[in-house]
Amino acid sequence: MQKLSPRTLAAAALLILLALVPAYAQWQGEPFLLALFGRVLVYGIAALALNLLLGYGGMVSFGHALYLGLGAYSVGVLSHYGIENGWLHLAAAAGACTVVGLVSGYVVMRTTGIAFIMITLAFAQMFYFLATGLEGFGGDDGMSLFAGSDFGLFRLDTPLALYCSALGVLVLVLWLMHRLIHAPFGMALRGCHANERRMRALGFPTLRYRLAAYVISAVICGVAGVLLANLTMYVSPSYLAWTTSGELIVMVALGGIGTLFGPVVGALAFLLLEEGLKLLTEHWMLIMGLLIVGVVLASRRGLYGSLSPASWRIARPAARQPSGESQ
């Protein structure tokens, strides 16, 4: 029988604990716990989506809040017109994220490095200012939702229904990511990250692989946006702000870039740390920033990545690449 790794055991234990949160919240009479950990699940899904690009594709997107906001606004706009069907909300979010992801992705995939980061940020800011100008949908102030998405058998209008749905989506996304990164598509994507020039020389259409990963990531982030809108019963342009994109990057880095479960651990650590420090001091952002920097400096593989025995060994210096080859 194959021995389970520390990371696998930690991931299984954390999923079990997350599944037990509703029972514990009911026992303690603390409904706030469902809202807090529901937020962890939603941002964990969004961080998993970003990790597909950042961790496995080597593409640093500083505008992924765009797709989180598109998913949320898909719920808000349709609800504004009296459409409460959750399947239509999901379809609208997936469709909007696919179209915007294809168009913007076709542009950004032709750049690398700082240009890639800035163009993804520019697209997100364009939609952010568009959302602030939609006076019919609240403009700067956003708008409240009067009912959750209705999926027929259940409706996302109670904390328990929302939490269970978010947990189910998280498990589904984890399974999908595991299958994706170990499939030939995932191997090719990682090859593009390691050396795109050699992949092209071998005949791989690297632009297609990277663009497909970008669109898949955008759609998953849009699904997280649908859940976020139902969690807060509110839609705001702040969901599309660059600060939200930065938080997602921090969650991925904190948990472990390029690890399957790391983004979920990063989201959990980030949001629990944020809530805890807010109770202690009004200068919580300073302390939180120092703690995050300390974790990243102490372990480049993040909290979850550091559980691997390989991370305890002293790494060898990387071999020098011939000049002109991409990293």
Side-chain angles (χ1 to χ4, degrees), residues 20-67:
L20 293 175
V21 166
Y24 181 79
Q26 178 69 23
W27 177 46
Q28 292 292 322
E30 292 287 351
F32 170 72
L33 290 176
L34 281 180
L36 174 59
F37 283 92
R39 192 162 167 249
V40 168
L41 296 176
V42 170
Y43 277 93
I45 295 167
L48 282 170
L50 177 60
N51 189 49
L52 179 63
L53 290 184
L54 181 58
Y56 298 105
M59 297 171 275
V60 184
S61 171
F62 205 67
H64 244 52
L66 164 60
Y67 305 106

Side-chain angles (χ1 to χ4, degrees), residues 154-178:
F154 61 95
R155 191 181 188 118
L156 301 183
D157 56 358
T158 63
L160 180 59
L162 189 284
Y163 187 90
C164 293
S165 299
L167 182 61
V169 172
L170 176 68
V171 172
L172 179 61
V173 171
L174 283 169
W175 175 81
L176 175 64
M177 288 295 177
H178 180 268

Side-chain angles (χ1 to χ4, degrees), residues 102-136:
L102 280 172
V103 174
S104 63
Y106 190 76
V107 176
V108 300
M109 290 303 151
R110 299 181 178 278
T111 63
T112 56
I114 191 66
F116 186 101
I117 298 172
M118 296 308 296
I119 293 177
T120 55
L121 173 61
F123 272 108
Q125 288 300 100
M126 285 168 53
F127 279 85
Y128 169 78
F129 288 113
L130 174 63
T132 60
L134 295 175
E135 296 297 336

Side-chain angles (χ1 to χ4, degrees), residues 64-97:
H64 244 52
L66 164 60
Y67 305 106
L68 191 69
L70 282 177
Y73 268 90
S74 296
V75 177
V77 172
L78 290 178
S79 297
H80 178 77
Y81 290 107
I83 302 174
E84 299 177 0
N85 189 301
W87 300 111
L88 290 180
H89 293 172
L90 274 179
C97 291

